[in-house]
Amino acid sequence: MSDQPGLLEIIGTAGARPAPGSSDVVVEATDVHKWFGRNEVLKGVSLTVRRGEVVVICGPSGSGKTTFIRCINHLEKIQAGRILVNGHTIGYRERDGKLIEDRDASIARQRREIGMVFQRFNLFPHQTALGNIIEAPVHVLGIPEEEAKTMGRALLARVGLGTKEAAYPAQLSGGQQQRVAIARALAMKPSLMLFDEPTSALDPEMIGEVLAVMKELAAEGMTMILVSHEMGFAREVATRVVMMDEGQIVEVAPPGEFFSHPTSERTRAFLSKIL
Amino acid sequence: MAVGGWRVLATLPLAALMLAGCSGSGSYIYDWSIFVDAVVRPDGLILTGVWLTLIISVVAQMIGVLLGVFSALGRTARLLPLRVLAGLYVWLFRGTPLLVQLTFFFFGLSVAKIYTWPPIELFGLSISGEIQAGVFALGVNEGAYMSEIVRAGILAVDRGQLEAARSLGMTYRLAMLRVVLPQAARVIIPPLGNEFNNMLKTTSLLVVLGNVPELYVTFSRKNGSGPTSFHPFELFLAAAVWYLLLTTIWSLAQARIERRLSQGDRRDEDRGLLDRLLGTGGKPDARTRGVR
């Protein structure tokens, strides 16, 4: 595999340096609050993620980790606080000290640079694997179809699905579908990748093939935030591990510390259950 | 003129019956040669009727589908006025008889001089006001039914599809157009086929407008003139055969369309022609097999 071009080389963002003067902070969430009706699911979440970091968020179900990651590309609205992605407030504009939701088109533009991978893959079932990958590059970015196909084929080959470009999602296994979904997100040349429990819906023997692709992506320097219970992956690949509970971040630490000397009682209890 | 015309047409079969009843033998005698002729050796009028029925149905159905898609999007829109407008449209046109809509749009508007339906020249053909009003009323009525069908189709698409499309930077409109509606189409096509089948036959209601050379109207007229006068049942049975021919061809076309749309759907399997029309396969439809 080492003689193949890297994933980021294929999409042409490998080694891309941020514009001079821009900060290397990719995500800056400050005191984010969110309610579902009367239920407060995020109670002041703050987190800063720098370029090239791999941050794994874990915590019990209902802790708000999935809601939080969905707020980062504005799939969920927030009621207080703010989230900056590459220096821009995501989903909102500030006017007279108040946050006003952005127009549809500008939210869409902001989302182009944020890749999202879902638990249930969410591939487009009416399109082939290659069709899924080129859909947004062609229709959102306006890349010529042939060019997009060349990139799409290279991405498919790189995630080990070179022979599956004409297959429809229903003809692929879960692990294969998730690898197509990662390739689809990468084809938009994102500067940030979000993974919402990417391996939770997979059979055990397929988890490895998806994690392998994610590891490569991390090794190439992609900035990644993932909600996951894959503690092995977190230990090996993450730069920091975040523990969430009841809508709050209770612990943030590099994996070495996080797993060997967790400071919070809640983290210790959680780790003792899942490790 | 037109008003008088439809009244005469509507009473013709009845008059024919009474005449037949008075003519000696006391029972109606079928002249099957009239039926066979109208089926096997259709004259120009009948063929025109077939074409016009088909064209009116297709155009009205297209109007219906467009109105259905727009009003379904309206009913799922964020803006309240759009939702109310779309809801009112469906409520009104699904809740009143097509016959009322048809007569109101043509006679009601023209007698009050609100719109008199002047003929339109299109591709060198003159399209009469009756046809325009008929296509309009059929299309607008159909749109109200299609609206519910399209809405059900949109709701049947998994929410994750819209989220995935939006996450890739698509606007709501593009996501609907490229991701949600194509998937909704698969759910919409079978009931749409039903609707078009209905439409092919519902065009016969245009008989109330009089001057429309549609199939049913054509056969009504044959009953009122020439050697085929006063043979309503042979003629209407022949009309039924022609309608059956149209709906049969449509059933086959629909099966092809459904097969093309089900690309990527593993459950779909090939079924023979007879099986498709009459269900002779002896097995339940592949799609529902797992459900039973």
Side-chain angles (χ1 to χ4, degrees), chain B residues 92-126:
Chain B
L92 198 63
F93 282 90
R94 250 179 12 144
T96 55
L98 175 58
L99 206 52
V100 172
Q101 294 163 19
L102 211 50
T103 43
F104 174 78
F105 281 128
F106 186 65
F107 299 115
L109 294 185
S110 54
V111 291
K113 301 276 189 281
I114 296 170
Y115 187 67
T116 54
W117 301 99
I120 295 177
E121 297 290 327
L122 205 67
F123 309 122
L125 289 169
S126 175

Side-chain angles (χ1 to χ4, degrees), chain B:
Chain B
M1 147 85 214
V3 180
W6 76 264
R7 216 179 277 142
V8 171
L9 277 175
T11 53
L12 271 175
L14 197 67
L17 249 188
M18 287 161 67
L19 261 177
C22 298
S23 64
S25 73
S27 61
Y28 185 91
I29 297 164
Y30 280 86
D31 180 352
W32 290 109
S33 67
I34 291 175
F35 168 79
V36 172
D37 266 4
V39 171
V40 184
R41 281 179 290 276
D43 57 20
L45 288 174
I46 296 176
L47 292 179
T48 306
V50 172
W51 277 115
L52 198 67
T53 299
L54 195 62
I55 290 166
I56 289 176
S57 303
V58 167
V59 177
Q61 191 66 47
M62 283 182 352
I63 294 173
V65 169
L66 277 179
L67 286 173
V69 169
F70 282 117
S71 62
L73 289 175
R75 296 186 84 189
T76 53
R78 262 197 284 183
L79 289 171
L80 182 70
L82 277 180
R83 287 206 302 271
V84 171
L85 195 71
L88 266 177
Y89 162 64
V90 173
W91 174 70
L92 198 63
F93 282 90
R94 250 179 12 144
T96 55
L98 175 58
L99 206 52
V100 172
Q101 294 163 19
L102 211 50
T103 43
F104 174 78
F105 281 128
F106 186 65
F107 299 115
L109 294 185
S110 54
V111 291
K113 301 276 189 281
I114 296 170
Y115 187 67
T116 54
W117 301 99
I120 295 177
E121 297 290 327
L122 205 67
F123 309 122
L125 289 169
S126 175
I127 298 163
S128 70
E130 285 88 344
I131 294 182
Q132 295 170 44
V135 166
F136 177 80
L138 286 169
V140 171
N141 179 269
E142 179 59 23
Y145 287 91
M146 282 309 299
S147 178
E148 287 296 274
I149 293 173
V150 173
R151 196 168 66 100
I154 290 174
L155 291 178
V157 177
D158 183 61
R159 234 198 112 63
Q161 291 292 311
L162 186 61
E163 288 184 351
R166 305 282 272 138
S167 297
L168 288 165
M170 293 191 194
T171 57
Y172 180 78
R173 201 219 300 233
L174 188 63
M176 273 291 168
L177 211 61
R178 296 283 318 170
V179 175
V180 176
L181 285 177
Q183 291 181 61
R186 256 197 242 177
V187 182
I188 292 168
I189 291 292
L192 169 65
N194 225 8
E195 289 296 303
F196 185 65
N197 178 300
N198 249 325
M199 179 66 83
L200 283 167
K201 295 164 298 176
T202 308
T203 50
S204 57
L205 280 183
L206 298 192
V207 71
V208 297
L209 304 186
N211 186 26
V212 184
E214 190 267 350
L215 252 178
Y216 182 82
V217 188
T218 302
F219 279 99
S220 301
R221 288 190 164 173
K222 283 186 174 299
N223 183 41
S225 66
T228 55
S229 276
F230 312 123
H231 287 282
F233 302 113
E234 294 90 328
L235 288 170
F236 288 129
L237 274 178
V241 170
W242 281 105
Y243 281 112
L244 197 56
L245 183 75
L246 286 176
T247 53
T248 303
I249 293 171
W250 169 243
S251 298
L252 299 177
Q254 190 193 351
R256 280 188 74 103
I257 296 171
E258 278 180 36
R259 205 163 28 161
R260 287 219 6 216
L261 272 174
S262 65
Q263 274 178 10
D265 188 345
R266 264 201 294 208
R267 294 167 298 176
D268 210 53
E269 286 156 40
D270 268 350
R271 295 165 70 209
L273 278 189
L274 265 184
D275 184 17
R276 255 186 219 122
L277 284 175
L278 308 169
T280 54
K283 287 180 288 184
D285 189 305
R287 284 162 190 280
T288 53
R289 196 173 298 154
V291 183
R292 295 176 195 205

Side-chain angles (χ1 to χ4, degrees), chain A residues 139-185:
Chain A
H139 294 280
V140 175
L141 299 180
I143 292 176
E145 194 168 320
E146 281 313 309
E147 194 180 311
K149 278 184 175 168
T150 307
M151 174 180 68
R153 290 196 179 101
L155 281 171
L156 275 176
R158 195 68 183 81
V159 299
L161 295 171
T163 58
K164 297 288 187 186
E165 68 168 70
Y168 285 92
Q171 298 161 331
L172 298 172
S173 73
Q176 291 171 330
Q177 287 189 60
Q178 194 61 300
R179 284 183 280 157
V180 173
I182 293 172
R184 175 176 73 172

Side-chain angles (χ1 to χ4, degrees), chain A residues 73 75 111-112 114-116 118, chain B residues 162-169:
Chain A
N73 71 350
L75 281 181
R111 286 192 180 119
R112 291 178 190 178
I114 308 172
M116 179 92 176
F118 298 88
Chain B
L162 186 61
E163 288 184 351
R166 305 282 272 138
S167 297
L168 288 165

Side-chain angles (χ1 to χ4, degrees), chain A residues 213-253:
Chain A
V213 172
M214 291 166 59
K215 274 178 199 166
E216 282 184 41
L217 205 49
E220 290 180 30
M222 174 61 82
T223 311
M224 296 162 62
I225 302 176
L226 48 133
V227 170
S228 179
H229 294 131
E230 292 297 329
M231 290 301 123
F233 180 87
R235 208 189 286 266
E236 196 181 329
V237 181
T239 50
R240 280 184 299 159
V241 184
V242 173
M243 168 77 192
M244 277 186 79
D245 189 35
E246 296 188 349
Q248 287 175 313
I249 290 181
V250 295
E251 181 146 7
V252 185

